[in-house]
Each structure stands twice: as C-alpha cells, then as structure tokens.
Amino acid sequence: MTRAHADEAVHEMHQLAGPGRRNSSAPGTHPELGPLHAEKLEPRAADLPAPSATFEDLYNEYFDFTFRSLRYLGVNPSALPDAVQDVWLAVHRQLSEFQGRSTHRTWLFAIALNTARNQRRRERRMHVIPLSDELPDWRSNPERAHADREALGMVHEYLATLDEPRRVLFVSQLLEDLSAAESAELLGIDVASVYHRARDLRRSFKRWFAARQERGR
Amino acid sequence: MSSRDDVTIGELEEALQAGSDSAFESAFDGLMRQARAGAGPAPALRLQLREQVWTRLGIEPLPTLPRHAASAPARLLPLAALPRRSPWLSFGTGVGLVALGVAIGFVWGRVPTRSSASLDAATLHIVDAPARHAVGPSVVSAAPPPTLAPVPAPIAEADESVAPTLPAVAAARARPIPRSAHSPAPSESAAAAGVSGNPLRDALETLRRAHEALRAEEPAMALVDLDALEKRVPSSVLEEERAVTRALALCAHGEPKRARQVAARVLADNPSSVYAMSLGDSCAGHEELLNQMRGRVSKPAP
C-alpha cells in the first residue's frame, strides 16, 4: 500500500461522509449541543505527532489500536494477524512521508481502514465464509472475559448495520475515543457535525438495542 | 448508575426499561469500554506479530537461540499447579501470569502444553541475520531477512496436571545474589545470572526467573532479580512486563503500597495495558487504580 492509497482512503471517507461544513465552528458553546468539551475538540497533546517518533515508537504505542480498529472494521478474526502486519508494513513504508498534517492515530486509522477494505474485497473474491468472531481468550478473569466478549459481539452486531462513514464515526468517537478533531479529519466534516452525528449514533444504538431485545422476547 | 467497566447486557436492558436516558448513556459507555477491552490481541499474539513484522522488515534480527535451549531442563511452570491458598496468587492473577509466562515462553520456544513432544517439533527458531540494522523509518536491509520455522499451533493453556519442577529456582537458590548498591561488573552479573548479555534475552531470562521465584513463593528473590536487571538492561526493554512483574512481586512481598505505586505507573504509561486485569486482581487493585484503568477521568487539556 502506498501513501497514495492511504490518502485515497481519507479522501474516499470525505466523499462518503457527505456534505458538511469543514472547521467552521469555533470551539465554545454550540447552539444545539451546548458546551463542547475542550478536551475532545483537539487531539490530546500525547497524540500529536512527535517529530522524532520512530517506527518502533509508533508500533509500541499504537499496535493494539490498529488491531482493534481492524477488528471493528470487519476483518475476519482469522485474517487479523495478516491484516495487522499489512498495516504496519505500510506504515513502515510511508513513515518518512508523513508530514504531521494529521495525528498519528488519524493516519494509522486511515491505513487500517484501507487494509480492512482490501481484506474484505479479497474475502469476497475468494468466497470466504467469516468464521466465528471469537478469538481465543487469554484474560485472567473468566467472568470479565465473558462480559467483554459479549459486549464486543453486540457492538459487532450493531456495526454491521451501519454504512461505512457511520461505522468509522462510531469506531473513532465512541469506541476508540479519538478527539472530535481527529474524527472530523477522517470524515472531512466539521467538529460540530462530529458531535451531532455521534449523538445520533448513540440514539440509533439505543433504538437498535430496544428492537433487538424486543425480538428476543 | 455510575460508569463501570463490568456492564452486562442485562444492565443495559434494565437501564432501557427504567426509561432513564442518563442511565442508558452510562451503561452504553461501559459497554464500549468492555468491547474495547475484548477486542485487543493476546500477549502471545502481540509478541508473535511483533517478531514477524520485525523479521519481515529486517529491522532488529533476534538472536539465534543456543542449541541447548531446546533441551534446557528448566521450563516454564504452569501457575495453576501452585497451591491455591497462596494469598497473593489469586486465580485471576495466576492465569494472568500464565499469559505473560506463555508469551515469554513463546519467544524462547518453550511453552507448557499437554504434548511437549509435539511442541518441541514445532518450536519457533529465529535465525540471526548477518548484520544488525538500524531502527527507524529509513531502514534498508542489505542482508536477507531472517527466516522463521513454522509457527507453533495456538498456544494451549497451562496443563494443570503437570507437576512443577524447580530446577531454575534451585539453581537460583545456590547462586549468591548480593544486594549491593554497586552495579555488578557486566561479566560478573552475566555469569551470575547466566545470561548472554543481549538485552532482550537478558530481560526475558530474568523475567522467567522472577516468575519462577514468584511461583515458588519467593518474592524477595524475584525482586532481587528485577533490581539486578534494572542495572544491567535499559528500562525500555520489556518495560511494561518488568513493571507488572515487580508490582506482583511487591504484592507477594507484603508491600501493597509500593505495588500500587508501580501498578499506577504502568497504567498511566499504558492506559490500554493488557495486564490491567491482572493488576486489578492483585493487591494493587484498589478503587483509585480501578478508576485509572477505566481511563475515563477527564482531564483539562494542557
């Protein structure tokens, strides 16, 4: 995957996200949403690109983030090891070209998103039947591990109902807690729209959950 | 309902039926945290993938395992074989240490399973590349990348029926371990510790010994090993694993306050630490630390 592919991924997200005013809202109080949380507006200082960040630094910091992102974005669990390696090989190739216009997380997420798409395309061509979503569990507390698996399964079920832009927003804002600015960058919309759509997604999840529970009765 | 990590689907439903938006929001946030906790890689898989990526990139070829390593008498001990009455070794912590021990054992090519013979045949060997390569984005590998033997099958859990053997611990007991304020000479420490001088291997070997000492209920020895390691090997090498082992050793040594301090640092530096549950289950798992694990304490932007 080249830098162009990663850029293309971000650009495609912008297209799919639909019209939205870019960066036209000043931080402060939104007329509809109320006070905007300052700590969520801009990337955290720790997430800002460090000029001297090496590949190893990024790997140590963000490997789990890319692994989880691929998982949320629909990569078959059996394909996750290969997919995450593909991500980091791409990172290694492109790191020298990274200019710090976005945070590392935004950039890495875009690479993971493109990798996930490629993987899904390969699976469709090969008619791969997705295996169980479960990976072998390793956690120390079996009860917590079960609760975590249950939670992850439910989230996966809901994510499957979303189109890609909404899935990206859900993953970035509600699962991985990226800043609003980072999500805005990924989707090519403004920060206020990020908050607005994230709130809509919460409501959507609630409706979906209620319907799901109703079907289960 | 306050935000918690251990939100169940049933609690989400209760919040829905109660008709409370705030309760549902809180339960939803907890569900997201749990889903995130469930989505990460296992420690062994993380280590395996790191090796594979590093190998494919030819960045830091790992050292060749010495021939005798494959037949070394000492092997990782299944924690489940230890007496359950051990006050510090709750089941949760024990299995967490197994995960760490399995991860360490995986790198060394020795993993406790029900079929050691079949595992021996599939031991991972990593062949050294001719030259070291610089770390960084502009790595150019002039030498052929190291080769990997077939990766072993998914790592099985520790076999509870295997009787523990403590050759390494016995050897450690026979070994003089001075608590000296002075750093031992590298050759002396290497000879005393029986390590190669390679930082990663040194750290791995020391962690293995520390875990064996903990399993043998000798936390003081584990702490001595960890202290000596601090003087020999840069703290960045397996930093998180060293800190977690130290926290658990301090718990076993009856120093919960220091254990909590170390655990808090681990989680501050690694908010998504895979060892968070193990630390939470230990003496270091008190409310403040659990809050830190949740990672939802909102701080004002600097």
Side-chain angles (χ1 to χ4, degrees):
Chain A
M1 187 190 309
T2 64
R3 162 76 181 182
H5 287 162
D7 285 344
E8 179 188 337
V10 176
H11 175 72
E12 278 189 46
M13 288 310 311
H14 291 184
Q15 297 296 316
L16 288 169
R21 291 165 296 124
R22 286 203 58 130
N23 300 321
S24 58
S25 297
T29 301
H30 189 275
E32 291 178 29
L33 303 175
L36 301 176
H37 299 288
E39 66 272 17
K40 282 280 282 183
L41 282 176
E42 293 299 327
R44 289 176 283 264
D47 295 325
L48 292 173
S52 57
T54 64
F55 175 78
E56 187 172 5
D57 291 338
L58 291 179
Y59 189 96
N60 291 338
E61 179 72 26
Y62 296 113
F63 175 81
D64 282 19
F65 167 70
T66 56
F67 188 97
R68 291 193 304 266
S69 298
L70 287 168
R71 202 162 178 195
Y72 303 138
L73 293 171
V75 174
N76 193 325
S78 63
L80 270 170
D82 284 342
V84 76
Q85 285 190 62
D86 287 346
V87 166
W88 285 96
L89 295 178
V91 169
H92 186 261
R93 280 195 300 273
Q94 300 170 37
L95 185 57
S96 58
E97 301 165 16
F98 180 74
Q99 296 177 9
R101 289 192 296 253
S102 62
T103 66
H104 283 129
R105 281 201 303 182
T106 309
W107 180 57
L108 291 167
F109 190 91
I111 294 176
L113 178 61
N114 217 32
T115 303
R117 285 181 184 151
N118 291 338
Q119 180 63 31
R120 292 198 304 268
R121 277 197 285 267
R122 274 199 292 272
E123 288 177 3
R124 280 197 295 270
R125 282 200 302 271
M126 294 165 57
H127 304 289
V128 171
I129 299 170
L131 300 175
S132 161
D133 191 50
E134 300 224 352
L135 289 176
D137 201 277
W138 50 271
R139 264 73 57 76
S140 58
N141 186 320
E143 289 172 2
R144 277 181 181 159
H146 173 73
D148 291 348
R149 273 201 307 275
E150 208 178 25
L152 181 62
M154 170 154 291
V155 166
H156 269 279
E157 204 178 314
Y158 175 69
L159 285 173
T161 69
L162 300 178
D163 56 21
E164 193 169 74
R166 293 170 73 213
R167 187 184 306 161
V168 168
L169 185 62
F170 190 99
V171 171
S172 62
Q173 277 292 289
L174 303 180
L175 273 168
E176 288 295 328
D177 202 28
L178 268 65
S179 69
E182 287 171 312
S183 294
E185 173 71 24
L186 273 171
L187 291 164
I189 57 178
D190 62 18
V191 166
S193 294
V194 167
Y195 278 108
H196 198 81
R197 297 184 192 190
R199 188 183 62 176
D200 285 347
L201 279 172
R202 284 175 171 264
R203 290 173 177 165
S204 161
F205 178 89
K206 189 175 182 181
R207 289 191 299 271
W208 171 85
F209 181 78
R212 181 182 184 273
Q213 297 308 101
E214 194 63 33
R215 284 194 302 275
R217 290 201 178 92
Chain B
M1 180 189 295
S2 61
S3 295
R4 294 181 296 146
D5 272 339
D6 51 343
V7 171
T8 64
I9 305 296
E11 288 165 342
L12 203 61
E13 184 170 2
E14 283 172 16
L16 182 73
Q17 288 175 353
S20 165
D21 285 346
S22 60
F24 190 87
E25 289 290 311
S26 180
F28 174 85
D29 289 340
L31 188 78
M32 293 300 106
R33 283 193 297 276
Q34 271 187 278
R36 186 169 149 179
L45 180 60
R46 185 185 294 108
L47 270 178
Q48 174 190 340
L49 288 171
R50 182 189 170 101
E51 288 174 20
Q52 289 177 356
V53 169
W54 254 241
T55 298
R56 287 174 72 174
L57 293 173
I59 296 178
E60 284 183 7
L62 294 179
T64 304
L65 291 176
R67 287 191 177 191
H68 67 265
S71 57
R75 60 192 177 94
L76 291 179
L77 305 175
L79 282 177
L82 289 176
R84 296 291 177 93
R85 64 177 182 273
S86 178
W88 63 274
L89 195 59
S90 67
F91 175 77
T93 304
V95 176
L97 282 176
V98 167
L100 174 58
V102 163
I104 294 172
F106 181 84
V107 175
W108 277 101
R110 300 289 302 182
V111 177
T113 68
R114 288 182 171 78
S115 173
S116 297
S118 61
L119 182 64
D120 286 343
T123 297
L124 177 67
H125 294 285
I126 302 172
V127 180
D128 196 8
R132 293 191 65 80
H133 306 288
V135 177
S138 58
V139 166
V140 175
S141 172
T147 57
L148 280 173
V151 174
I155 296 166
E157 293 181 356
D159 186 348
E160 295 189 4
S161 64
V162 173
T165 59
L166 302 173
V169 174
R173 282 179 184 150
R175 172 181 91 228
I177 306 173
R179 267 199 178 273
S180 168
H182 302 290
S183 300
S187 57
E188 289 176 4
S189 63
V195 297
S196 68
N198 174 282
L200 178 59
R201 186 186 297 177
D202 190 348
L204 283 169
E205 174 65 22
T206 304
L207 282 172
R208 188 183 67 81
R209 281 204 314 279
H211 279 254
E212 287 180 349
L214 290 177
R215 282 190 287 261
E217 297 187 340
E218 297 191 357
M221 186 169 291
L223 289 168
V224 165
D225 278 334
L226 291 170
D227 288 344
L229 181 63
E230 291 300 319
K231 295 172 182 172
R232 288 197 310 273
V233 172
S235 60
S236 59
V237 177
L238 295 181
E239 180 176 14
E240 188 180 351
E241 285 74 12
R242 285 155 74 170
V244 169
T245 305
R246 181 178 291 278
L248 296 175
L250 288 168
C251 279
H253 201 240
E255 298 183 64
K257 186 175 176 184
R258 285 185 64 197
R260 282 197 287 269
Q261 289 169 349
V262 173
R265 263 202 312 276
V266 169
L267 295 175
D269 293 342
N270 306 278
S272 304
S273 173
V274 298
Y275 306 114
M277 293 298 180
S278 293
L279 291 174
D281 288 342
S282 72
C283 80
H286 65 122
E287 190 60 29
E288 182 184 326
L289 182 62
L290 289 172
N291 284 335
Q292 200 169 351
M293 284 162 56
R294 288 171 198 139
R296 289 297 185 192
V297 177
S298 193
K299 294 179 182 175

